[in-house]
Amino acid sequence: MPERWSDYVAILMSALALGYLVYEIDRRRRKLHDIFDVLDADDAYITARLEDMVASGELQPYAGATLA
Amino acid sequence: MPRAPRGSGSPRRPRARAGTPRETVQSGSSATPPRVLDARPRKVTRLAVLPQPAALGECAATVPRFRIFIIDSGWNSSAHKVLQENFGLIRELQKEDPIYVLSKDQSIEFMRHHQERIGREPIIAVHDLAAMDKSGTTDFHGFRLHLGLLRTPQQALLALQNFTRFLSTHRQSVDLEAEIRTDLRREGLAGAIEIILHHEAREIGE
């Protein structure tokens, strides 16, 4: 057990620093996954819809050089 | 978000439309009237011309690996402008893979059905045809970029450049999923190191 109050402060500050680090890493990870991620079973419905649009001819490969 | 039941993935390739004649290998003269009596599978023997290794590489480079979809309902955002300004270049860099651009009306209709993604457009979804051939849409089958989440033109441009580079450098990838997950882990680790070293926030993802 720490004997001086300054030891308690040091432990508390270390715990806060570690907590912040974990929080920040997790926040960045979530943000990155929000922006860029893989398509998996969760996205199957959307993928199927897009593929159906291609299969039905509703969507054609874009031939233009610029977006309208 | 609705989940598709396992095994009920989307068609892996565009279905042949009804009435569309299929390509067949015909034996015999083209003047010979078609025989309908013998429906047994026949062994068609013909000389196979195997492509040379160099030609194989060329084939792999020109056969589409991805289908790229752009969904943009037209928010007046930095990401929208950056995409419009740079689309021509992306088109040139990704000539091998077809790009499907949903019209504004199609995009709005699409977002009406996927309201949780409103405000994240422009969305670029990339379907990996190789993965879809293997396991349909029940597992990994591509990746996507929510460009609309990036607030400044610089962030959007950087993300677009990274995304295009990723597409180009991973066209021949055998295990794309593993490579993407490794990259994402590496990004996470890089972020952690940056925090520890008190570097400035990364341009992307902030």
Side-chain angles (χ1 to χ4, degrees):
Chain A
M1 283 288 285
E3 292 177 359
R4 292 177 303 179
W5 65 270
S6 57
D7 293 340
Y8 283 103
V9 172
I11 290 170
L12 181 68
M13 294 305 286
S14 303
L16 282 175
L18 186 67
Y20 168 73
L21 189 67
V22 171
Y23 164 78
E24 188 64 21
I25 291 169
D26 187 56
R27 189 183 71 82
R28 286 184 182 219
R29 193 184 60 82
R30 283 172 192 272
K31 182 91 179 170
L32 181 62
H33 279 269
D34 266 353
I35 294 168
F36 177 79
D37 208 352
V38 297
L39 299 174
D40 52 23
D42 287 342
D43 306 285
Y45 184 73
I46 293 176
T47 303
R49 173 80 188 103
L50 289 171
E51 289 292 329
D52 284 346
M53 287 171 85
V54 172
S56 68
E58 198 178 338
L59 273 181
Q60 298 287 338
Y62 195 76
T66 56
L67 284 178
Chain B
M1 193 180 328
R3 275 170 176 268
R6 290 191 84 80
S8 68
S10 71
R12 294 170 189 177
R13 295 281 189 190
R15 289 183 294 259
R17 286 194 222 165
T20 307
R22 289 175 183 271
E23 281 182 18
T24 52
V25 178
Q26 292 186 349
S27 58
S29 161
S30 60
T32 310
R35 289 180 297 169
V36 291
L37 292 176
D38 187 8
R40 287 172 300 172
R42 279 172 293 169
K43 188 177 177 184
V44 179
T45 53
R46 68 175 180 188
L47 287 175
V49 181
L50 295 174
Q52 296 301 309
L56 273 175
E58 245 173 55
C59 270
T62 52
V63 171
R65 166 75 188 260
F66 303 120
R67 277 200 193 112
I68 304 166
F69 296 87
I70 297 179
I71 304 158
D72 186 3
S73 43
W75 291 105
N76 184 17
S77 65
S78 306
H80 169 73
K81 287 175 193 147
V82 166
L83 181 62
Q84 286 213 318
E85 286 166 7
N86 294 280
F87 177 78
L89 185 55
I90 297 169
R91 184 84 204 82
E92 288 299 310
L93 290 169
Q94 289 302 131
K95 270 183 175 168
E96 298 85 1
D97 303 306
I99 300 181
Y100 299 91
V101 181
L102 275 72
S103 69
K104 189 172 179 178
D105 289 343
Q106 284 172 322
S107 297
I108 291 171
E109 188 58 31
F110 196 87
M111 297 316 288
R112 279 169 52 81
H113 289 96
H114 305 286
Q115 294 164 349
E116 73 282 357
R117 304 205 182 208
I118 291 175
R120 297 176 171 214
E121 325 98 279
I123 297 171
I124 304 178
V126 179
H127 295 176
D128 181 5
L129 299 177
M132 288 171 74
D133 275 345
K134 231 186 286 176
S135 58
T137 56
T138 55
D139 211 340
F140 166 83
H141 58 273
F143 45 95
R144 54 107 182 109
L145 175 69
H146 285 154
L147 201 60
L149 288 177
L150 298 162
R151 298 296 171 216
T152 70
Q154 289 80 12
Q155 289 172 349
L157 182 60
L158 185 65
L160 210 51
Q161 288 169 337
N162 285 339
F163 194 73
T164 308
R165 182 171 57 239
F166 185 88
L167 274 176
S168 299
T169 54
H170 290 78
R171 283 196 84 249
Q172 317 284 343
S173 171
V174 178
D175 191 354
L176 189 60
E177 181 185 11
E179 289 179 19
I180 291 175
R181 294 199 188 279
T182 305
D183 279 1
L184 284 172
R185 267 198 299 276
R186 195 178 297 135
E187 281 288 323
L189 189 64
I193 292 168
E194 274 184 11
I195 296 165
I196 292 165
L197 296 177
H198 297 281
H199 277 192
E200 287 188 7
R202 291 172 71 79
E203 288 167 285
I204 188 168
E206 266 298 301

